[in-house]
């Protein structure tokens, strides 16, 4: 089992910045990738960014150049630096972990943290 706890959400004006963090605990040695997803009211959950155990990153097109995902393996912590925020970035942001154990894949989610961008 992997537990994920997010922090760092809040209210920010358009053009501002926020930094989210996600602390992983439990069987963190099984984690192969960590990522951020978000879900706005009335919309489907969507990928924001993901980083694998080798440090390779991938971003949704609308986040490229504005958001930066990173991980501190020593602290088992994932980060998302968000700059030039727009009102359409308003959503609940979820931390995600992909883990493998006995060749079986497991998906874990945090409880989510609200990000609200005012215009």
């Amino acid at each position: 089992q992997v537990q994920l706890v997010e922090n760092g959400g809040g209210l920010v004006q358009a053009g501002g910045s926020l930094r989210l963090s996600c602390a992983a605990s439990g069987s963190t040695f099984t984690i192969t990738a960590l990522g951020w997803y978000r879900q706005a009211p009335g919309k489907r959950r969507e990928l924001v960014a993901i980083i694998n155990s080798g440090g390779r990153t991938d971003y949704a097109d609308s986040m490229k150049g504005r958001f930066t995902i990173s991980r501190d393996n020593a602290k088992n912590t994932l980060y998302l630096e968000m700059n030039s925020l727009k009102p359409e970035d308003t959503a609940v942001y979820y931390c995600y972990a992909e883990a493998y154990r006995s060749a079986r894949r497991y998906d874990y989610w945090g409880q989510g943290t609200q990000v609200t961008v005012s215009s």
Side-chain angles (χ1 to χ4, degrees), residues 15 20 22 28 48 52 54 64 72-73 93 98 102 111 115:
L20 305 182
C22 171
T28 57
V48 174
N52 68 13
K64 289 179 181 177
D72 185 331
N73 291 328
Y93 284 69
E98 173 193 84
S102 300
Q111 81 284 358
V115 171

Side-chain angles (χ1 to χ4, degrees), residues 7-71:
N7 275 294
L11 174 64
V12 64
Q13 287 189 330
S17 299
L18 275 177
R19 187 191 197 204
L20 305 182
S21 64
C22 171
S25 61
S27 301
T28 57
F29 61 92
T30 63
I31 294 174
T32 52
L34 289 165
W36 293 96
Y37 284 73
R38 71 184 186 184
Q39 187 166 20
K43 295 188 177 182
R44 299 177 65 177
R45 191 173 295 189
E46 63 175 350
L47 173 70
V48 174
I50 197 162
I51 182 168
N52 68 13
S53 55
R56 177 180 173 179
T57 59
D58 194 18
Y59 296 86
D61 287 343
S62 62
M63 285 63 146
K64 289 179 181 177
R66 298 191 301 124
F67 292 7
T68 302
I69 189 171
S70 61
R71 63 192 289 179

Side-chain angles (χ1 to χ4, degrees), residues 13-16 62 66 83-90 116-118:
Q13 287 189 330
S62 62
R66 298 191 301 124
N83 298 311
S84 302
L85 283 162
K86 306 174 183 180
E88 51 264 42
D89 294 318
T90 295
T116 302
V117 184
S118 62

